[in-house]
């Protein structure tokens, strides 16, 4: 559940907040200069938000959402299962996917669903 909260905050709070600060505060780049640890990440987020992924229409918003669906519910799950197949055994000899840690299933997008 925590990863979902973190993803939501990044997509719908942090990224728009940094973009808004960049657009509304003339001194925002100077403020970022004082934060060298997060400067590159924040600038990349601003660039993605205002240039790469900026929607020009409602259709662009739908495309953006569709890409996030594939990223979160298909591609990342397939990668996780590639790295940790269902039959993976830990160093202690226990199954990796056991107890509350159940293997996820990738979801194929279905426009009719």
């Amino acid at each position: 559940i925590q990863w979902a909260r973190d993803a939501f905050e990044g997509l719908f709070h942090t990224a728009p907040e940094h973009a808004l600060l960049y657009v509304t505060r003339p001194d925002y780049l100077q403020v970022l200069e004082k934060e060298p640890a997060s400067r590159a990440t924040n600038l990349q987020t601003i660039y993605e938000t205002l240039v790469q992924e900026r929607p020009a229409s409602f259709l662009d918003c739908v495309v953006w959402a569709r890409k996030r669906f594939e990223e979160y519910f298909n591609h990342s799950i397939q990668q996780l299962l590639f790295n940790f197949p269902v039959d993976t055994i830990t160093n202690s000899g226990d199954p990796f996917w056991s107890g509350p840690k159940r293997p996820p299933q990738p979801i194929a997008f279905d426009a009719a669903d």
Side-chain angles (χ1 to χ4, degrees), residues 7-8 16 31-32 34 42 45 50 52 62 66 78 86 107 111:
F8 184 89
V31 171
L32 283 182
K34 297 174 185 171
N42 289 347
T45 299
L50 296 178
Q52 283 183 325
V62 172
R66 170 78 165 83
Q78 287 184 34
V86 175
I107 301 172

Side-chain angles (χ1 to χ4, degrees), residues 84-89 95-97:
F84 301 98
V86 175
D87 58 353
T88 300
I89 303 297
F96 179 80
W97 298 107

Side-chain angles (χ1 to χ4, degrees), residues 10-25:
L11 291 171
F12 299 109
H13 176 72
T14 306
E17 179 181 49
H18 287 296
L20 181 63
L21 288 171
Y22 174 77
V23 170
T24 59
R25 287 188 56 185

Side-chain angles (χ1 to χ4, degrees), residues 3-60:
W3 74 266
R5 289 182 182 141
D6 293 342
F8 184 89
E9 183 174 334
L11 291 171
F12 299 109
H13 176 72
T14 306
E17 179 181 49
H18 287 296
L20 181 63
L21 288 171
Y22 174 77
V23 170
T24 59
R25 287 188 56 185
D27 67 332
Y28 187 63
L29 291 178
Q30 286 78 25
V31 171
L32 283 182
E33 288 296 324
K34 297 174 185 171
E35 301 173 12
S38 61
R39 180 178 55 226
T41 303
N42 289 347
L43 289 173
Q44 181 65 33
T45 299
I46 291 166
Y47 177 74
E48 289 170 358
T49 303
L50 296 178
V51 178
Q52 283 183 325
E53 298 179 350
R54 183 178 182 169
S57 66
F58 180 73
L59 180 59
D60 289 346

